[in-house]
Structures are given as C-alpha cells and as structure tokens.
Amino acid sequence: MEWPANVGHFPFAEVTSTLDVAREKAGQVASPTWITATRQTASRGRRGRPWVAPVGNFYGTLMVPCSDPMLASLRSFVAALALRDALDAAMGEGPKLALKWPNDVLLNSGKVAGILLESLTVQGRMWGVAVGIGVNLNASPDIAQVEERAVVPVNIKGESGADVTPDVFLKLLAPAFAKWDAQLMTFGFTPIRNAWLEDAARLGETITARLPNEEITGRFETVDENGYLILNTAKGLRSIAAADVFF
C-alpha cells in the first residue's frame, strides 16, 4: 500500500515513549505525523499504568492537528478500524479479530493491540490529539505482568505464524488510518460507528465497566453517536464515556 499523502513520519531508535515525543513536537507540524520507535523505555497504558514493551513489537503515535475535543476522542475508533485492517493484511485469513471498547484490539480473544489517546496543547490551548498505538507483533507480556481480570495478551507471530516487522506494519497501518480518518472527516462518526460495531467484542453480552468509584454490569447494547458505551443494567440504560471493561 502507498504511504498516504500529506502524512509525515519521524522514526527513532529509542525514546521514553512516542507519546512523550508527540507532546514535545506539538505545534511543529501542519499535518498528521507518525512518530515511531524501535525501543521504548517508559511505555504506559491507560490511567498512566506501566506497559511492557519488548523490542520487535510496533510502537507508534500519530499526531493529528485537531482543536475539537469530541472529534479528537473519536480517533480511537478510527485507530481500531485501521488496526483491524492492518492486522488482517498482515496475517491473512484465519485469525479472528474483534474490537474491545474503548481501546483494544483482540486476536483469537487475546489482546494484540492497544490504543491510548492524549490531548496535545500549545500555549494552554488544544492543538491536537496523540493517538498512541502498540501492537504485539512478535512478543507479548508475561501473564504475571497483566492486571487481574484483564484480557490475556497474545502476539501476531504466536497466533498466526506471520513474521511482521514494525516497518512493514506501519506501511499497512498508516494508509488504513488515513482512509478511515477521511471517512470521519467527510461523513461524520456514523460510518465509523457502524463499521466498528460489526466487529465489536461481546456485543449483546453481559460485561462489566469499571469506573473510578463504581463497577457497572449490564448487557452491551451499543456504542452511541458520541462513542459512549451503552449498558442495559438492572437500573436501566447507562451511558459511559470512559471505563475499563472486563468480560
């Protein structure tokens, strides 16, 4: 696939985190720009949790100029669809992919990729969004390093036998992201939402969403027009903007 037009790329050998580099470079680019690294020394996941980052996996952040917080937040769904397409292209038919709200991609029911969004500010104003992406290409964290009740990590090579380098994966991911992002900017969230729901993990099943002060269990009904999780609970429908989800 061809590299998308008007999309930049800064490759690094080693960084603390590609998200850190994105914060440093906020405001210095005029178009979406990828930052990738062979090695990360201080990877992190949701809510600042440490994240194991073996060399050989994919570590990248896409800087997207965007001053609208809601539009920025919807890039997690764009990223999920782009990851689905890139993983399909890398592995071929056979392995089963699913999209786990709000920010994971599952391969044969195990976590193969994660997405982390952070806002980017310049002089106190929102400049854009950093879409951090990590993909287990050839290795995955030991189960002992995974949070209790979390989905077991897997990797592409172990599940499909495909041997994919980070450089090759970026060449699949960048065009896929550009394609879905163009859909978002042209037609709004509806086509993104519909495509995401086609492969949503545990749609129609009972799941648990953990918020800072409570856990909510209910049937996963849908994702609404804002990207919020809709659960049908014993107390009625609940709309959840952000949470950790457990099956």
Side-chain angles (χ1 to χ4, degrees):
M1 298 177 70
E2 292 187 5
W3 186 261
N6 302 316
V7 174
H9 180 209
F10 295 129
F12 292 88
E14 180 175 297
V15 298
T16 54
S17 165
T18 56
L19 285 164
D20 292 340
V21 178
R23 282 205 306 273
E24 295 168 4
K25 291 188 174 296
Q28 299 178 26
V29 298
S31 60
T33 301
W34 284 94
I35 297 163
T36 58
T38 302
R39 177 180 170 82
Q40 292 193 139
T41 59
S43 300
R44 63 183 180 276
R46 273 174 57 80
R47 306 187 193 281
R49 299 186 187 104
W51 181 35
V52 180
V55 173
N57 288 342
F58 176 82
Y59 308 111
T61 292
L62 179 62
M63 303 167 60
V64 182
C66 177
S67 58
D68 181 340
M70 177 56 73
L71 191 58
S73 70
L74 298 178
R75 259 53 185 237
S76 63
F77 294 90
V78 171
L81 292 172
L83 279 165
R84 181 197 64 186
D85 290 355
L87 288 163
D88 270 336
M91 295 185 297
E93 295 183 4
K96 173 62 177 173
L97 293 167
L99 308 178
K100 178 177 178 284
W101 189 93
N103 58 3
D104 293 339
V105 179
L106 307 184
L107 168 59
N108 295 337
S109 300
K111 179 176 175 177
V112 71
I115 303 158
L116 181 62
L117 266 58
E118 294 186 355
S119 61
L120 298 174
T121 58
V122 176
Q123 296 180 342
R125 294 186 177 183
M126 183 172 178
W127 172 85
V129 61
V131 185
I133 294 174
V135 184
N136 297 334
L137 299 178
N138 300 302
S140 30
D142 187 274
I143 188 63
Q145 298 170 307
V146 177
E147 183 184 9
E148 186 180 357
R149 297 167 62 194
V151 176
V152 174
V154 298
N155 62 79
I156 290 177
K157 189 171 185 178
E159 294 297 312
S160 72
D163 195 354
V164 185
T165 67
D167 286 345
V168 167
F169 191 78
L170 178 63
K171 291 174 183 176
L172 299 172
L173 180 61
F177 193 102
K179 179 193 76 171
W180 286 110
D181 204 51
Q183 289 271 310
L184 175 67
M185 299 306 294
T186 304
F187 302 109
F189 184 52
T190 297
I192 304 298
R193 173 180 176 268
N194 291 341
W196 189 93
L197 284 169
E198 287 178 4
D199 287 314
R202 304 298 179 94
L203 184 64
E205 298 182 24
T206 299
I207 63 174
T208 296
R210 187 172 70 192
L211 284 69
N213 300 315
E214 65 174 325
E215 287 195 355
I216 304 169
T217 298
R219 188 172 67 244
F220 177 12
E221 293 290 346
T222 190
V223 166
D224 72 8
E225 64 276 3
N226 296 313
Y228 293 178
L229 176 70
I230 305 300
L231 290 186
N232 192 347
T233 75
K235 297 181 179 179
L237 294 179
R238 288 288 301 268
S239 174
I240 301 168
D244 292 319
V245 167
F246 299 94
F247 299 151

